[in-house]
Amino acid sequence: MNIIRLRLPQSDFNKTPEPSRTFVMPSEFRGIPDFAISDEAYAQAVEAGVERLKLNEAKKIVLSRIISFPRRGISSEGVFNAFNEKFPNAAVFAFTDEYNAQWVGATPELLFRKRGHSYSTISLAGTRKTGSLEPWGDKELEEQRMVTDFIQNELKSLGAENIVCHELHTRNAGSIEHLCNEISFNYSGDWKNVRSVLHPTPAVCGMPRAAATKLISSIEKYDREYYTGLIGIEQGE
């Protein structure tokens, strides 16, 4: 795996990290590899998801779609630079996978940050256009509460201590914005345990997680590969 560039928001890492200090992991959703999804196929998938939600098989699911378009001279480096400029509050990355395919993305979601036994993560939910003057609606506030409760309950079950949920605020993500709570906690065990209880997050999966994961796997007939996977830096302490 070759990391081309990785820029993290509000962190100490302001240079391209050494490859030995980075990790990239594929998504939890491993289906049948496929290519672009037509409008009709995606609409059918959404309808299927809505019907399953009506049957109370889950409270929320997050479906994805693969689209394609002519390259027209676009490079991964150019996309990375554009994302880096447009999304200053996001983690922006570009890498080449084991099949020599290039992946570029930007995400506002921090899975966790670790310093010794001190950790921080965020609860991110609710979406609207940036600059809205209206108060957040009940639907978005309830969705944010559900995600925040999910994270805190998972951390408690793991045995994390001193869990503190900080003040709710709005977090910008380019042309859209989200509700956000920062959550800090202490944990003395292996950091991989924290990764396991937090990922996949409700933002890329749904709730309850086990039910949502099962539904997505049955509806999406393709492999997400590295979309909604993990990318990050590990350094010695």
Side-chain angles (χ1 to χ4, degrees), residues 209-225:
R209 182 165 59 183
T213 300
K214 183 178 180 180
L215 283 179
I216 291 171
S217 297
S218 68
I219 295 172
E220 290 185 356
K221 302 302 182 183
Y222 56 87
D223 189 343
R224 287 192 183 183
E225 300 185 74

Side-chain angles (χ1 to χ4, degrees), residues 2-8 13-19 22 24 76-85 91-96 103-105 231-233:
N2 177 30
I3 298 294
I4 300 174
R5 284 191 181 182
L6 171 59
R7 194 267 292 154
L8 302 180
F13 307 110
N14 54 14
K15 297 181 180 180
T16 302
E18 295 296 328
T22 63
V24 179
S76 60
E77 188 77 3
V79 175
F80 175 89
N81 291 334
F83 281 1
N84 197 38
E85 181 177 348
V92 183
F93 60 86
F95 66 90
T96 304
W103 293 78
V104 187
I231 184 168
I233 300 171

